[in-house]
Amino acid sequence: MPAEATPPGLVLRSRAAGSVRRPAAVRGGGSGTPSRPRGGGPRRLLERARRAWDRPLTAYYLILGSALLITVLGLVMVYSASMIKALELSLPASYFFRKQFLAALIGGALMFAAARMPAKLHRALSYPMLVVTVFLMVLVQIPGIGMSVNGNQNWIYLGGPFQLQPSEFGKLALILWGADLLARKQDKRLLTQWKHMLVPLVPVAFLLLGLIMLGGDMGTAIILSAILFGLLWLAGAPTRLFGGVLAVAGTLAVLLIKTSPNRMGRLACIGATDPGPQDQCWQAVHGIYALASGGWFGSGLGASVEKWGQLPEPHTDFIFAITGEELGLAGTLSVLALFAALGYAGIRVAGRTEDPFVRYAAGGVTTWIVAQAVINIGAVLGLLPIAGVPLPLFSYGGSALLPTMFAVGLLIAFARDDPAARAALAMRQPRVSWKSMRRRVKKRPSGER
């Protein structure tokens, strides 16, 4: 029947029954395949990347992956940067690498333990850790027990080639204790009063700062101050209160810098391009030389020139300069990207949790690692004064590596503890274990095997 002669009622009934066919352009073409959304590949790739970025386990994998990659790359660079220094001291070329590798193994065990510990156990350990750390920091100042390294009295001799710097553990102790303190006060709704926000957090932090400054370690004191400000900011300190604490700390820092010719000399070397009189800016200038000579992809592993006695501390404070010389701009940008990923993941964990202790602890750990990385890299680039702090997880030093890896384990535990992450991890675990399968096989009759 021609379409013109079709009765109107039949057309309406056919449309209601779904018998009227849509045009080929709407169906997606004559081939029957669905048409692709407008916008093409780039939009779909961006959408997939956004969905992957918002997955529950993104922070978990970022923390674990970036921390392990930084540590492994740090081991490689410690071996490369320390060979000449070890030979100068009549030691085997792998001497510093072996010590760092041992510290990394112990730190890995600590990270795994911290990642498996519940938040309640971390809170229970905070007070004993703070007391032990303060006790060790007091022992450092006792003659005959404490050791002086590069003019800083911040070490305890443990026997053989092993030394301990208690101030590195003071950062972790302040974070755990401060997070527990602020969480308990938030539960009691006491943080709206300035005295409860400051006391006893600020006095205890100033006690640790005083013990550190007695040893002359300005760099560690700066990191500890950054942790204190991070905790206060997370607790919601008002601007005038935050500014008051910052003003007091800034005044003390200015006095300490002006009363020390060594610190004034370091401040004068910011942006220096010449060693200056008496070579006071020698280390800063040769760090720039190392970075500048690396080019895009570096001179190759082990081919650094500055580590042959030109650059002091090539495997500790200035290991980033050797990385730039041997791996080039590509290597340094990779290190920066890994630290950026770790910092983002820590902020994400702190921002998405509903547990106040987790928020304060994750924020404190992130502040510690990011601030220390910025200060170290800024000093190597000539943008900040040389503070004498190592690059976290990267520079040589077991006393710095152990608490930092434990702190990374904290972040991993907090990322795993998120309800969505727990559900995602539970779905990925196999429902039937090998032991249960073997038991089932043993229970079957012999004829069914």
Side-chain angles (χ1 to χ4, degrees):
M1 181 184 296
E4 294 81 358
T6 304
L10 181 59
V11 174
L12 291 175
R13 286 193 298 272
S14 300
R15 288 179 180 175
S19 60
V20 177
R21 301 179 67 185
R22 292 176 295 174
V26 178
R27 296 196 310 269
S31 61
T33 57
S35 61
R36 295 182 179 180
R38 295 181 180 179
R43 287 189 179 182
R44 286 187 297 167
L45 289 176
L46 289 175
E47 183 65 22
R48 289 178 181 177
R50 188 186 63 81
R51 288 199 301 265
W53 203 251
D54 290 336
R55 288 176 181 173
L57 293 175
T58 298
Y60 169 74
Y61 287 126
L62 279 178
I63 294 169
L64 181 61
S66 59
L68 290 180
L69 286 174
I70 293 172
T71 305
V72 171
L73 183 57
L75 287 172
V76 174
M77 293 311 304
V78 164
Y79 180 65
S80 176
S82 65
M83 288 189 296
I84 307 304
K85 185 68 175 179
L87 294 176
E88 287 180 357
L89 299 174
S90 300
L91 297 170
S94 61
Y95 173 78
F96 293 105
F97 168 77
R98 291 201 303 261
K99 290 183 62 178
Q100 186 74 356
F101 183 72
L102 177 61
L105 291 179
I106 299 174
L110 291 176
M111 183 178 70
F112 179 80
R116 293 292 179 178
M117 290 165 56
K120 291 183 179 179
L121 185 54
H122 287 298
R123 299 182 72 167
L125 290 176
S126 60
Y127 282 83
M129 184 179 297
L130 179 65
V131 172
V132 172
T133 302
V134 171
F135 175 73
L136 292 176
M137 292 173 69
V138 171
L139 288 181
V140 168
Q141 306 305 323
I142 299 177
I145 298 179
M147 288 181 58
S148 178
V149 178
N150 294 330
N152 292 338
Q153 183 85 9
N154 285 310
W155 299 82
I156 294 178
Y157 179 67
L158 299 179
F162 298 103
Q163 303 164 354
L164 179 67
Q165 188 176 4
S167 58
E168 291 291 340
F169 293 87
K171 305 170 187 176
L172 179 62
L174 178 63
I175 290 171
L176 287 177
W177 176 81
D180 177 69
L181 175 70
L182 293 174
R184 286 189 291 107
K185 290 195 173 187
Q186 180 174 330
D187 292 338
K188 297 178 181 179
R189 299 181 180 179
L190 297 176
L191 292 181
T192 55
Q193 305 176 32
W194 67 268
K195 60 180 181 180
H196 285 289
M197 186 174 292
L198 294 182
V199 180
L201 177 62
V202 175
V204 171
F206 279 3
L207 171 63
L208 295 174
L209 286 171
L211 292 173
I212 291 172
M213 290 307 301
L214 282 177
D217 191 353
M218 187 70 180
T220 304
I222 293 174
I223 304 301
L224 207 68
S225 300
I227 293 172
L228 173 61
F229 293 141
L231 291 174
L232 290 176
W233 183 78
L234 289 169
T239 305
R240 63 180 183 276
L241 184 62
F242 195 84
V245 176
L246 185 61
V248 173
T251 303
L252 292 175
V254 169
L255 291 176
L256 291 171
I257 291 174
K258 285 198 170 185
T259 54
S260 173
N262 183 27
R263 297 179 188 132
M264 285 295 296
R266 292 186 178 187
L267 193 64
C269 291
I270 297 179
T273 57
D274 185 84
Q278 299 179 354
D279 293 334
Q280 64 177 1
C281 297
W282 179 273
Q283 187 174 15
V285 170
H286 278 272
I288 298 296
Y289 290 169
L291 290 171
S293 61
W296 289 99
F297 300 103
S299 58
L301 280 174
S304 169
V305 175
E306 291 293 331
K307 68 184 180 184
W308 287 77
Q310 300 295 323
L311 181 64
E313 307 298 335
H315 58 300
T316 55
D317 301 346
F318 272 68
I319 194 172
F320 189 75
I322 303 299
T323 303
E325 185 179 6
E326 295 188 350
L327 301 183
L329 182 63
T332 55
L333 289 181
S334 300
V335 175
L336 291 176
L338 290 173
F339 276 109
L342 183 58
Y344 165 79
I347 294 173
R348 175 169 169 163
V349 170
R352 294 195 174 189
T353 184
E354 296 181 358
D355 188 342
F357 171 78
V358 173
R359 180 170 63 254
Y360 295 132
V365 170
T366 306
T367 302
W368 165 19
I369 295 176
V370 173
Q372 187 164 325
V374 168
I375 291 174
N376 177 277
I377 295 174
V380 174
L381 295 175
L383 304 176
L384 295 174
I386 300 174
V389 295
L391 190 57
L393 301 172
F394 202 83
S395 295
Y396 169 78
S399 293
L401 184 62
L402 295 182
T404 308
M405 294 194 74
F406 187 90
V408 171
L410 279 176
L411 292 179
I412 294 175
F414 298 154
R416 288 169 54 94
D417 197 50
D418 182 75
R422 282 204 308 267
L425 288 173
M427 292 177 62
R428 296 190 176 189
Q429 292 179 354
R431 296 182 179 180
V432 181
S433 63
W434 286 107
K435 291 183 178 179
S436 61
M437 291 179 64
R438 292 176 62 184
R439 291 172 184 171
R440 291 181 182 180
V441 171
K442 289 181 179 179
K443 291 181 178 179
R444 290 180 184 177
S446 57
E448 297 181 4
R449 295 181 185 178

